Coordinates of all heavy atoms in Angstrom, one line a residue:
M1 N 25.2 -51.1 25.7 CA 25.8 -50.8 24.5 C 25.9 -52.1 23.7 O 26.3 -53.1 24.3 CB 27.2 -50.2 24.7 CG 27.9 -50.0 23.4 SD 29.6 -49.4 23.6 CE 29.3 -47.7 24.0
I2 N 25.6 -52.1 22.4 CA 25.8 -53.2 21.6 C 26.9 -53.0 20.6 O 26.9 -51.9 19.9 CB 24.5 -53.5 20.8 CG1 23.3 -53.7 21.7 CG2 24.6 -54.6 19.8 CD1 22.0 -53.8 21.1
Q3 N 27.8 -53.9 20.6 CA 29.0 -53.8 19.7 C 28.8 -54.7 18.5 O 28.2 -55.8 18.6 CB 30.3 -54.1 20.4 CG 30.6 -53.1 21.4 CD 32.0 -53.4 22.1 OE1 32.3 -54.6 22.2 NE2 32.7 -52.4 22.5
G4 N 29.2 -54.3 17.4 CA 29.2 -55.1 16.2 C 30.3 -54.8 15.2 O 30.8 -53.7 15.3
R5 N 30.5 -55.7 14.3 CA 31.5 -55.5 13.3 C 30.8 -55.3 12.0 O 30.0 -56.2 11.6 CB 32.5 -56.6 13.2 CG 33.4 -56.7 14.4 CD 34.3 -57.9 14.3 NE 35.2 -57.7 13.2 CZ 36.1 -58.7 12.8 NH1 36.1 -59.8 13.4 NH2 36.9 -58.4 11.8
F6 N 31.1 -54.2 11.3 CA 30.4 -54.0 10.0 C 31.5 -54.0 8.9 O 32.5 -53.4 9.1 CB 29.7 -52.6 10.1 CG 28.6 -52.6 11.1 CD1 28.9 -52.1 12.4 CD2 27.4 -53.1 10.9 CE1 28.0 -52.0 13.4 CE2 26.4 -53.0 11.9 CZ 26.7 -52.5 13.1
S7 N 31.1 -54.6 7.8 CA 32.0 -54.7 6.7 C 31.3 -54.3 5.4 O 30.7 -55.1 4.7 CB 32.5 -56.2 6.5 OG 33.3 -56.3 5.4
N8 N 31.4 -53.0 5.2 CA 30.8 -52.4 4.0 C 29.3 -52.8 3.8 O 28.8 -53.0 2.7 CB 31.5 -52.8 2.7 CG 32.9 -52.3 2.7 OD1 33.2 -51.3 3.2 ND2 33.8 -53.1 2.0
G9 N 28.6 -52.9 5.0 CA 27.2 -53.2 5.0 C 26.9 -54.7 4.6 O 25.8 -55.1 4.6
R10 N 27.9 -55.5 4.5 CA 27.7 -56.9 4.1 C 28.0 -57.7 5.4 O 29.0 -57.6 6.0 CB 28.7 -57.3 3.0 CG 28.4 -56.6 1.7 CD 29.4 -56.9 0.7 NE 29.3 -58.3 0.3 CZ 30.1 -58.8 -0.7 NH1 30.9 -58.1 -1.3 NH2 30.0 -60.1 -1.0
R11 N 27.0 -58.5 5.7 CA 27.1 -59.3 6.9 C 27.8 -60.6 6.6 O 27.5 -61.2 5.6 CB 25.7 -59.6 7.4 CG 25.7 -60.3 8.7 CD 24.3 -60.4 9.2 NE 24.2 -61.6 10.1 CZ 23.1 -62.1 10.5 NH1 22.0 -61.6 10.2 NH2 23.2 -63.2 11.3
K12 N 28.7 -61.0 7.4 CA 29.4 -62.3 7.2 C 28.6 -63.5 7.7 O 27.8 -63.3 8.6 CB 30.8 -62.3 7.9 CG 31.8 -61.3 7.3 CD 33.1 -61.4 7.8 CE 34.1 -60.5 7.0 NZ 35.5 -60.8 7.3
K13 N 28.8 -64.6 7.0 CA 28.1 -65.8 7.4 C 29.1 -67.0 7.3 O 30.1 -66.9 6.6 CB 26.8 -66.0 6.6 CG 27.0 -66.1 5.1 CD 25.6 -66.1 4.4 CE 25.2 -67.5 4.2 NZ 24.0 -67.6 3.4
I14 N 28.7 -68.1 7.8 CA 29.5 -69.3 7.8 C 29.3 -70.0 6.5 O 28.2 -70.2 6.0 CB 29.2 -70.2 9.0 CG1 29.6 -69.4 10.3 CG2 30.0 -71.5 8.9 CD1 29.2 -70.2 11.5
Y15 N 30.5 -70.4 5.9 CA 30.5 -71.3 4.8 C 31.4 -72.5 5.1 O 32.3 -72.4 5.8 CB 31.1 -70.6 3.5 CG 30.2 -69.5 3.0 CD1 30.3 -68.2 3.4 CD2 29.2 -69.8 2.1 CE1 29.5 -67.2 3.0 CE2 28.3 -68.8 1.6 CZ 28.5 -67.5 2.1 OH 27.7 -66.5 1.6
N16 N 31.1 -73.6 4.5 CA 31.9 -74.8 4.7 C 32.2 -75.4 3.3 O 31.6 -75.0 2.3 CB 31.3 -75.8 5.6 CG 30.1 -76.5 4.9 OD1 30.2 -77.5 4.2 ND2 28.9 -76.0 5.2
A17 N 33.3 -76.2 3.2 CA 33.7 -76.6 1.9 C 34.2 -78.1 1.9 O 34.8 -78.5 3.0 CB 34.7 -75.7 1.3
D18 N 34.0 -78.8 0.9 CA 34.8 -80.0 0.6 C 35.9 -79.6 -0.4 O 35.6 -79.0 -1.5 CB 33.9 -81.1 0.0 CG 33.0 -81.7 1.0 OD1 33.2 -81.6 2.2 OD2 32.0 -82.3 0.5
V19 N 37.1 -79.8 0.0 CA 38.3 -79.4 -0.9 C 38.9 -80.7 -1.2 O 39.3 -81.5 -0.3 CB 39.2 -78.5 -0.1 CG1 40.5 -78.2 -1.0 CG2 38.5 -77.2 0.3
F20 N 39.1 -81.0 -2.5 CA 39.7 -82.2 -3.0 C 41.1 -81.9 -3.6 O 41.2 -81.1 -4.5 CB 38.8 -82.9 -4.0 CG 37.5 -83.4 -3.5 CD1 36.4 -82.6 -3.4 CD2 37.5 -84.7 -3.0 CE1 35.2 -83.1 -2.9 CE2 36.3 -85.2 -2.5 CZ 35.1 -84.4 -2.4
S21 N 42.1 -82.6 -3.0 CA 43.5 -82.4 -3.5 C 43.6 -83.1 -4.9 O 42.7 -83.8 -5.3 CB 44.5 -82.9 -2.5 OG 44.3 -84.3 -2.3
S22 N 44.8 -82.9 -5.5 CA 45.0 -83.5 -6.8 C 45.0 -85.0 -6.7 O 44.7 -85.7 -7.7 CB 46.4 -83.1 -7.3 OG 47.4 -83.4 -6.4
D23 N 45.2 -85.6 -5.6 CA 45.1 -87.1 -5.4 C 43.7 -87.5 -4.9 O 43.5 -88.6 -4.6 CB 46.2 -87.7 -4.5 CG 46.1 -87.1 -3.1 OD1 45.2 -86.2 -2.8 OD2 46.8 -87.6 -2.2
L24 N 42.8 -86.5 -5.0 CA 41.3 -86.7 -4.7 C 41.1 -87.0 -3.2 O 40.0 -87.6 -2.9 CB 40.7 -87.7 -5.6 CG 40.6 -87.3 -7.1 CD1 39.9 -88.3 -7.9 CD2 40.0 -85.9 -7.2
K25 N 42.0 -86.7 -2.3 CA 41.7 -86.8 -0.9 C 40.8 -85.6 -0.5 O 41.1 -84.5 -0.9 CB 43.1 -86.7 -0.1 CG 42.9 -86.9 1.4 CD 44.2 -87.0 2.1 CE 43.9 -87.1 3.6 NZ 45.2 -87.1 4.4
R26 N 39.8 -85.9 0.3 CA 38.8 -84.8 0.7 C 39.2 -84.2 2.0 O 39.5 -84.9 3.0 CB 37.4 -85.4 0.8 CG 36.4 -84.3 1.1 CD 35.0 -84.9 1.1 NE 34.8 -85.6 2.3 CZ 33.6 -86.0 2.7 NH1 32.5 -85.8 2.0 NH2 33.5 -86.7 3.8
Y27 N 39.2 -82.9 2.0 CA 39.4 -82.1 3.3 C 38.1 -81.3 3.5 O 37.5 -80.8 2.5 CB 40.6 -81.2 3.1 CG 41.9 -81.9 2.9 CD1 42.2 -82.3 1.6 CD2 42.7 -82.2 3.9 CE1 43.4 -82.9 1.4 CE2 43.9 -82.9 3.7 CZ 44.3 -83.2 2.4 OH 45.4 -83.9 2.2
Q28 N 37.7 -81.2 4.7 CA 36.5 -80.4 5.0 C 36.9 -79.2 5.8 O 37.5 -79.3 6.9 CB 35.4 -81.2 5.7 CG 34.9 -82.3 4.8 CD 33.8 -83.1 5.4 OE1 33.9 -83.6 6.5 NE2 32.6 -83.2 4.7
L29 N 36.5 -78.0 5.3 CA 36.9 -76.7 6.0 C 35.7 -75.9 6.2 O 34.7 -76.0 5.6 CB 38.0 -76.0 5.1 CG 39.2 -76.8 4.7 CD1 40.0 -76.0 3.6 CD2 40.1 -77.1 5.9
E30 N 35.9 -74.9 7.1 CA 34.8 -74.0 7.4 C 35.4 -72.6 7.6 O 36.5 -72.4 8.2 CB 34.1 -74.4 8.7 CG 32.8 -73.8 9.0 CD 32.1 -74.5 10.2 OE1 31.4 -75.5 9.9 OE2 32.3 -74.0 11.3
T31 N 34.7 -71.5 7.2 CA 35.2 -70.2 7.4 C 34.0 -69.2 7.5 O 32.9 -69.5 7.1 CB 36.1 -69.7 6.2 OG1 36.7 -68.5 6.5 CG2 35.3 -69.6 4.9
L32 N 34.3 -68.0 8.0 CA 33.3 -66.9 8.1 C 33.7 -65.9 7.0 O 34.8 -65.5 6.9 CB 33.4 -66.3 9.5 CG 32.4 -65.2 9.8 CD1 31.0 -65.8 9.9 CD2 32.8 -64.6 11.2
S33 N 32.7 -65.7 6.1 CA 33.0 -64.8 5.0 C 31.7 -64.0 4.6 O 30.6 -64.4 5.0 CB 33.4 -65.7 3.8 OG 33.9 -64.9 2.8
S34 N 31.9 -63.0 3.7 CA 30.8 -62.2 3.3 C 30.1 -62.6 2.0 O 29.1 -62.1 1.7 CB 31.3 -60.7 3.1 OG 32.4 -60.7 2.2
S35 N 30.7 -63.6 1.3 CA 30.1 -64.1 0.1 C 30.7 -65.5 -0.3 O 31.8 -65.8 0.2 CB 30.3 -63.1 -1.1 OG 31.7 -63.2 -1.5
P36 N 30.0 -66.2 -1.1 CA 30.6 -67.5 -1.6 C 31.9 -67.3 -2.3 O 32.8 -68.2 -2.1 CB 29.5 -68.1 -2.5 CG 28.2 -67.5 -2.1 CD 28.6 -66.1 -1.6
S37 N 32.1 -66.3 -3.1 CA 33.4 -66.1 -3.8 C 34.5 -65.7 -2.8 O 35.6 -66.2 -3.0 CB 33.2 -65.1 -4.9 OG 32.8 -63.9 -4.4
D38 N 34.2 -64.9 -1.8 CA 35.2 -64.6 -0.8 C 35.5 -65.9 0.0 O 36.7 -66.1 0.4 CB 34.7 -63.5 0.2 CG 34.7 -62.1 -0.5 OD1 35.3 -62.0 -1.5 OD2 34.0 -61.2 0.1
A39 N 34.5 -66.7 0.3 CA 34.7 -68.0 1.0 C 35.6 -68.9 0.2 O 36.5 -69.5 0.7 CB 33.4 -68.6 1.3
Y40 N 35.5 -68.9 -1.1 CA 36.3 -69.7 -2.0 C 37.8 -69.3 -1.8 O 38.7 -70.1 -1.6 CB 35.9 -69.5 -3.5 CG 36.9 -69.9 -4.5 CD1 37.1 -71.3 -4.8 CD2 37.8 -69.0 -5.1 CE1 38.1 -71.7 -5.7 CE2 38.7 -69.4 -6.0 CZ 38.9 -70.7 -6.3 OH 39.8 -71.1 -7.2
H41 N 38.1 -68.0 -1.9 CA 39.4 -67.5 -1.7 C 40.0 -67.8 -0.3 O 41.2 -68.2 -0.2 CB 39.5 -66.0 -2.0 CG 39.2 -65.7 -3.5 ND1 40.1 -66.0 -4.5 CD2 38.2 -65.1 -4.0 CE1 39.6 -65.6 -5.6 NE2 38.4 -65.1 -5.4
E42 N 39.2 -67.7 0.7 CA 39.6 -68.1 2.0 C 39.8 -69.5 2.2 O 40.8 -70.0 2.8 CB 38.6 -67.6 3.0 CG 38.5 -66.1 3.1 CD 37.4 -65.5 4.0 OE1 36.9 -66.3 4.8 OE2 37.0 -64.4 3.8
M43 N 39.0 -70.4 1.5 CA 39.2 -71.8 1.6 C 40.5 -72.2 0.9 O 41.2 -73.1 1.3 CB 38.0 -72.6 0.9 CG 36.7 -72.4 1.6 SD 36.7 -73.1 3.3 CE 35.0 -72.8 3.7
V44 N 40.9 -71.6 -0.2 CA 42.1 -71.8 -0.9 C 43.3 -71.5 0.0 O 44.2 -72.3 0.1 CB 42.3 -71.1 -2.2 CG1 43.7 -71.1 -2.8 CG2 41.3 -71.6 -3.3
A45 N 43.2 -70.4 0.7 CA 44.2 -70.0 1.7 C 44.3 -71.0 2.9 O 45.4 -71.4 3.3 CB 44.0 -68.6 2.2
L46 N 43.2 -71.4 3.4 CA 43.1 -72.4 4.5 C 43.7 -73.7 4.0 O 44.5 -74.4 4.8 CB 41.7 -72.6 5.0 CG 41.1 -71.5 5.8 CD1 39.6 -71.8 6.0 CD2 41.8 -71.4 7.1
A47 N 43.4 -74.1 2.8 CA 43.9 -75.4 2.3 C 45.5 -75.3 2.2 O 46.2 -76.3 2.5 CB 43.3 -75.7 0.9
A48 N 46.0 -74.2 1.7 CA 47.4 -74.0 1.7 C 48.1 -74.1 3.1 O 49.1 -74.7 3.2 CB 47.8 -72.7 1.0
E49 N 47.4 -73.5 4.1 CA 47.9 -73.6 5.4 C 47.9 -75.1 5.9 O 48.8 -75.5 6.7 CB 47.0 -72.8 6.4 CG 47.2 -71.3 6.2 CD 46.2 -70.6 7.1 OE1 45.6 -71.1 8.0 OE2 46.1 -69.3 6.9
E50 N 47.0 -75.9 5.4 CA 46.9 -77.3 5.7 C 47.9 -78.2 4.9 O 48.0 -79.4 5.0 CB 45.5 -77.9 5.5 CG 44.5 -77.3 6.5 CD 44.8 -77.7 7.9 OE1 45.1 -78.9 8.2 OE2 44.6 -76.9 8.8
G51 N 48.6 -77.5 4.0 CA 49.6 -78.2 3.2 C 49.1 -78.7 1.8 O 49.7 -79.5 1.1
I52 N 47.9 -78.3 1.5 CA 47.2 -78.7 0.2 C 47.6 -77.7 -0.8 O 47.1 -76.6 -0.8 CB 45.7 -78.8 0.4 CG1 45.3 -79.7 1.6 CG2 45.1 -79.4 -0.9 CD1 43.9 -79.5 2.0
N53 N 48.5 -78.0 -1.7 CA 49.0 -77.1 -2.7 C 48.4 -77.2 -4.0 O 48.3 -76.3 -4.8 CB 50.5 -77.1 -2.8 CG 51.2 -76.7 -1.5 OD1 50.8 -75.7 -0.9 ND2 52.2 -77.4 -1.1
L54 N 48.0 -78.4 -4.4 CA 47.3 -78.7 -5.7 C 45.9 -79.1 -5.4 O 45.6 -80.2 -4.9 CB 48.1 -79.8 -6.4 CG 49.6 -79.4 -6.7 CD1 50.3 -80.6 -7.4 CD2 49.6 -78.2 -7.6
I55 N 45.0 -78.3 -5.8 CA 43.6 -78.5 -5.5 C 42.9 -78.9 -6.8 O 43.0 -78.2 -7.8 CB 42.9 -77.3 -4.9 CG1 43.6 -77.0 -3.6 CG2 41.4 -77.5 -4.7 CD1 43.1 -75.6 -3.0
R56 N 42.1 -79.9 -6.8 CA 41.4 -80.4 -8.0 C 39.9 -79.9 -8.0 O 39.4 -79.5 -9.1 CB 41.4 -81.9 -8.1 CG 40.8 -82.5 -9.3 CD 41.5 -82.2 -10.6 NE 42.7 -82.8 -10.7 CZ 43.6 -82.6 -11.6 NH1 43.4 -81.7 -12.6 NH2 44.8 -83.2 -11.7
L57 N 39.3 -79.8 -6.8 CA 37.9 -79.4 -6.8 C 37.6 -78.8 -5.4 O 38.1 -79.2 -4.4 CB 37.0 -80.7 -6.9 CG 35.5 -80.6 -6.6 CD1 34.8 -79.8 -7.7 CD2 34.9 -82.0 -6.5
I58 N 36.7 -77.7 -5.5 CA 36.2 -77.1 -4.2 C 34.7 -76.9 -4.4 O 34.2 -76.4 -5.4 CB 36.8 -75.7 -4.0 CG1 38.3 -75.8 -3.8 CG2 36.2 -75.0 -2.8 CD1 39.0 -74.5 -3.5
E59 N 34.0 -77.5 -3.4 CA 32.5 -77.3 -3.3 C 32.3 -76.4 -2.1 O 32.6 -76.8 -1.0 CB 31.8 -78.6 -3.2 CG 32.0 -79.6 -4.3 CD 31.5 -81.0 -4.1 OE1 31.3 -81.4 -2.9 OE2 31.2 -81.7 -5.1
I60 N 31.7 -75.3 -2.3 CA 31.4 -74.3 -1.2 C 29.9 -74.5 -0.8 O 29.0 -74.4 -1.7 CB 31.7 -72.9 -1.5 CG1 33.1 -72.7 -2.0 CG2 31.3 -71.9 -0.4 CD1 34.1 -72.7 -0.9
Y61 N 29.6 -74.7 0.5 CA 28.2 -74.8 1.0 C 28.0 -73.7 1.9 O 28.9 -73.2 2.6 CB 28.0 -76.1 1.7 CG 28.1 -77.3 0.8 CD1 29.4 -77.9 0.5 CD2 27.0 -77.9 0.2 CE1 29.5 -79.0 -0.3 CE2 27.1 -79.0 -0.6 CZ 28.4 -79.5 -0.9 OH 28.5 -80.6 -1.7
S62 N 26.7 -73.3 2.0 CA 26.3 -72.2 3.0 C 26.0 -72.9 4.4 O 25.4 -74.0 4.4 CB 25.1 -71.5 2.5 OG 24.7 -70.5 3.4
G63 N 26.5 -72.3 5.5 CA 26.2 -72.8 6.8 C 27.3 -73.6 7.4 O 28.4 -73.8 6.8
R64 N 27.1 -74.2 8.6 CA 28.1 -74.9 9.3 C 28.2 -76.3 8.7 O 27.2 -76.9 8.3 CB 27.7 -75.1 10.8 CG 27.7 -73.8 11.5 CD 27.6 -74.0 13.0 NE 27.6 -72.8 13.7 CZ 28.7 -72.1 14.0 NH1 29.9 -72.7 13.7 NH2 28.7 -71.0 14.7
L65 N 29.4 -76.8 8.7 CA 29.7 -78.2 8.3 C 28.9 -79.2 9.0 O 28.3 -80.1 8.5 CB 31.2 -78.5 8.4 CG 31.7 -79.8 8.0 CD1 31.4 -80.1 6.5 CD2 33.2 -80.0 8.2
S66 N 28.8 -79.0 10.3 CA 28.0 -80.0 11.2 C 26.5 -80.0 10.9 O 25.8 -80.9 11.2 CB 28.3 -79.6 12.7 OG 27.8 -78.3 13.0
D67 N 26.0 -78.9 10.2 CA 24.6 -78.8 9.9 C 24.3 -79.3 8.5 O 23.1 -79.3 8.1 CB 24.1 -77.4 10.1 CG 24.1 -77.0 11.5 OD1 24.1 -77.8 12.4 OD2 24.2 -75.7 11.8
R68 N 25.3 -79.6 7.7 CA 25.1 -79.9 6.3 C 24.3 -81.2 6.1 O 24.6 -82.2 6.8 CB 26.4 -80.0 5.5 CG 26.2 -80.1 4.0 CD 27.3 -80.5 3.2 NE 28.6 -79.9 3.5 CZ 29.8 -80.3 3.0 NH1 29.8 -81.4 2.2 NH2 30.9 -79.7 3.3
Q69 N 23.4 -81.2 5.2 CA 22.6 -82.4 4.9 C 23.1 -83.0 3.6 O 23.6 -82.3 2.8 CB 21.1 -82.0 4.8 CG 20.5 -81.4 6.1 CD 20.5 -82.3 7.2 OE1 20.1 -83.5 7.1 NE2 21.0 -81.8 8.4
T70 N 22.9 -84.3 3.4 CA 23.3 -84.9 2.2 C 22.5 -84.3 1.0 O 23.0 -84.4 -0.2 CB 23.1 -86.4 2.2 OG1 21.7 -86.7 2.5 CG2 24.0 -87.1 3.2
S71 N 21.3 -83.8 1.2 CA 20.6 -83.2 0.1 C 21.0 -81.7 -0.3 O 20.5 -81.2 -1.2 CB 19.1 -83.2 0.5 OG 18.9 -82.4 1.6
D72 N 21.9 -81.1 0.5 CA 22.3 -79.8 0.3 C 23.2 -79.7 -1.0 O 23.9 -80.6 -1.3 CB 23.2 -79.2 1.4 CG 22.3 -78.9 2.7 OD1 21.1 -78.9 2.6 OD2 22.9 -78.7 3.8
H73 N 23.0 -78.6 -1.7 CA 23.8 -78.4 -2.9 C 24.8 -77.3 -2.7 O 24.5 -76.3 -2.0 CB 22.8 -78.0 -4.1 CG 21.9 -79.1 -4.5 ND1 22.2 -80.2 -5.1 CD2 20.5 -79.2 -4.2 CE1 21.2 -81.0 -5.3 NE2 20.1 -80.4 -4.7
P74 N 25.9 -77.3 -3.4 CA 26.9 -76.3 -3.2 C 26.4 -74.9 -3.8 O 25.7 -74.9 -4.8 CB 28.1 -76.7 -4.0 CG 27.8 -78.0 -4.7 CD 26.4 -78.4 -4.2
V75 N 26.8 -73.9 -3.1 CA 26.5 -72.5 -3.6 C 27.5 -72.0 -4.6 O 27.3 -71.1 -5.3 CB 26.3 -71.5 -2.5 CG1 25.1 -71.8 -1.6 CG2 27.5 -71.4 -1.6
L76 N 28.7 -72.7 -4.6 CA 29.7 -72.4 -5.5 C 30.6 -73.7 -5.8 O 30.8 -74.4 -4.8 CB 30.6 -71.3 -5.0 CG 31.7 -70.8 -6.0 CD1 31.6 -69.3 -6.1 CD2 33.1 -71.2 -5.5
L77 N 30.9 -73.9 -7.0 CA 31.6 -75.1 -7.3 C 32.7 -74.7 -8.3 O 32.5 -74.0 -9.3 CB 30.7 -76.2 -8.0 CG 31.3 -77.4 -8.5 CD1 31.8 -78.3 -7.4 CD2 30.3 -78.2 -9.3
H78 N 34.0 -75.2 -8.1 CA 35.0 -74.9 -9.0 C 35.9 -76.1 -9.1 O 36.3 -76.7 -8.1 CB 35.9 -73.7 -8.5 CG 36.9 -73.3 -9.6 ND1 36.6 -72.3 -10.5 CD2 38.1 -73.7 -9.9 CE1 37.6 -72.2 -11.3 NE2 38.6 -73.0 -11.0
H79 N 36.2 -76.5 -10.3 CA 37.0 -77.7 -10.5 C 38.0 -77.5 -11.7 O 37.7 -76.7 -12.6 CB 36.2 -79.0 -10.7 CG 35.4 -79.0 -12.0 ND1 35.9 -79.5 -13.1 CD2 34.2 -78.5 -12.3 CE1 35.0 -79.4 -14.1 NE2 34.0 -78.8 -13.6
E80 N 39.0 -78.2 -11.7 CA 40.0 -78.3 -12.8 C 39.7 -79.6 -13.6 O 39.3 -80.6 -12.9 CB 41.4 -78.4 -12.3 CG 41.8 -77.1 -11.5 CD 41.9 -75.9 -12.4 OE1 42.3 -76.0 -13.6 OE2 41.7 -74.8 -11.9
T81 N 39.8 -79.6 -14.9 CA 39.6 -80.8 -15.6 C 40.8 -81.7 -15.4 O 41.9 -81.3 -15.0 CB 39.5 -80.5 -17.1 OG1 40.7 -80.0 -17.6 CG2 38.3 -79.6 -17.4
T82 N 40.5 -83.0 -15.5 CA 41.6 -84.0 -15.2 C 42.7 -84.0 -16.2 O 43.8 -84.5 -15.9 CB 41.0 -85.4 -15.1 OG1 40.3 -85.7 -16.3 CG2 40.1 -85.5 -13.9
D83 N 42.5 -83.4 -17.3 CA 43.5 -83.3 -18.3 C 44.5 -82.1 -18.1 O 45.6 -82.1 -18.7 CB 42.9 -83.1 -19.7 CG 42.1 -84.3 -20.2 OD1 42.4 -85.4 -19.6 OD2 41.2 -84.1 -21.0
D84 N 44.1 -81.2 -17.2 CA 44.9 -80.0 -17.0 C 45.7 -80.2 -15.7 O 45.4 -81.0 -14.8 CB 44.1 -78.8 -16.8 CG 43.3 -78.4 -18.0 OD1 43.7 -78.8 -19.1 OD2 42.2 -77.8 -17.9
N85 N 46.8 -79.5 -15.6 CA 47.6 -79.4 -14.3 C 46.7 -78.6 -13.4 O 46.1 -77.6 -13.8 CB 48.9 -78.7 -14.5 CG 49.9 -79.6 -15.3 OD1 49.8 -80.8 -15.3 ND2 50.7 -78.9 -16.1
P86 N 46.6 -79.0 -12.1 CA 45.8 -78.3 -11.2 C 46.3 -76.9 -11.0 O 47.5 -76.7 -10.7 CB 45.9 -79.1 -9.9 CG 46.5 -80.4 -10.2 CD 47.2 -80.2 -11.5
L87 N 45.5 -75.9 -11.1 CA 45.9 -74.5 -10.9 C 45.4 -73.9 -9.7 O 45.9 -72.8 -9.2 CB 45.4 -73.7 -12.1 CG 45.9 -74.1 -13.5 CD1 45.3 -73.3 -14.6 CD2 47.4 -74.0 -13.6
L88 N 44.4 -74.4 -9.1 CA 43.8 -73.9 -7.8 C 44.8 -73.9 -6.7 O 45.5 -74.9 -6.6 CB 42.6 -74.7 -7.4 CG 41.4 -74.6 -8.4 CD1 40.3 -75.6 -7.9 CD2 40.8 -73.2 -8.5
G89 N 45.0 -72.8 -6.0 CA 45.9 -72.8 -4.9 C 47.3 -72.4 -5.4 O 48.2 -72.3 -4.6
Q90 N 47.5 -72.3 -6.7 CA 48.8 -71.9 -7.2 C 48.9 -70.4 -7.3 O 47.9 -69.7 -7.7 CB 49.1 -72.5 -8.6 CG 49.1 -74.1 -8.5 CD 50.2 -74.6 -7.7 OE1 51.4 -74.2 -8.0 NE2 50.0 -75.4 -6.8
P91 N 50.1 -69.8 -7.0 CA 50.2 -68.3 -7.2 C 50.2 -67.9 -8.6 O 50.4 -68.6 -9.5 CB 51.6 -68.1 -6.6 CG 52.3 -69.3 -6.4 CD 51.3 -70.4 -6.6

């Protein structure tokens, strides 16, 4: 017997992220998610668990953090302008 988890026909994959706090300290996180946008929301939640409440920039990459190459480009990028108060991670 083969067991598997199915989520609305969408297969989950690993995403990793560079999350920059408002003081531009970089945190690297990894999650299993069904899409880059779902990974973004999960990364915001993970960042909050790590105590990062004000996020300036999130770069989402496909695959494992340990496999990321310097030539890889993010599959999703979200940032706040430096003139605005950081809103990412805020309720």
Side-chain angles (χ1 to χ4, degrees):
M1 176 186 284
I2 299 173
Q3 293 182 328
R5 292 177 64 185
F6 300 94
S7 175
N8 296 331
R10 294 173 67 176
R11 187 174 154 190
K12 291 190 175 192
K13 61 189 266 187
I14 295 174
Y15 292 92
N16 70 83
D18 287 340
V19 178
F20 293 88
S21 60
S22 59
D23 61 357
L24 297 182
K25 183 175 179 185
R26 181 176 78 166
Y27 299 84
Q28 294 184 306
L29 305 172
E30 193 171 276
T31 190
L32 186 65
S33 189
S34 56
S35 71
S37 60
D38 287 346
Y40 162 80
H41 293 289
E42 291 173 21
M43 294 297 183
V44 169
L46 285 171
E49 289 175 14
E50 294 292 321
I52 309 162
N53 295 317
L54 299 175
I55 299 171
R56 184 64 70 187
L57 170 70
I58 297 180
E59 297 173 337
I60 305 285
Y61 296 86
S62 183
R64 294 188 179 279
L65 181 60
S66 60
D67 295 335
R68 191 191 317 164
Q69 303 295 313
T70 55
S71 60
D72 289 347
H73 297 285
V75 294
L76 187 129
L77 175 69
H78 188 93
H79 68 91
E80 298 291 328
T81 63
T82 55
D83 295 335
D84 298 333
N85 292 327
L87 300 175
L88 296 172
Q90 297 294 307

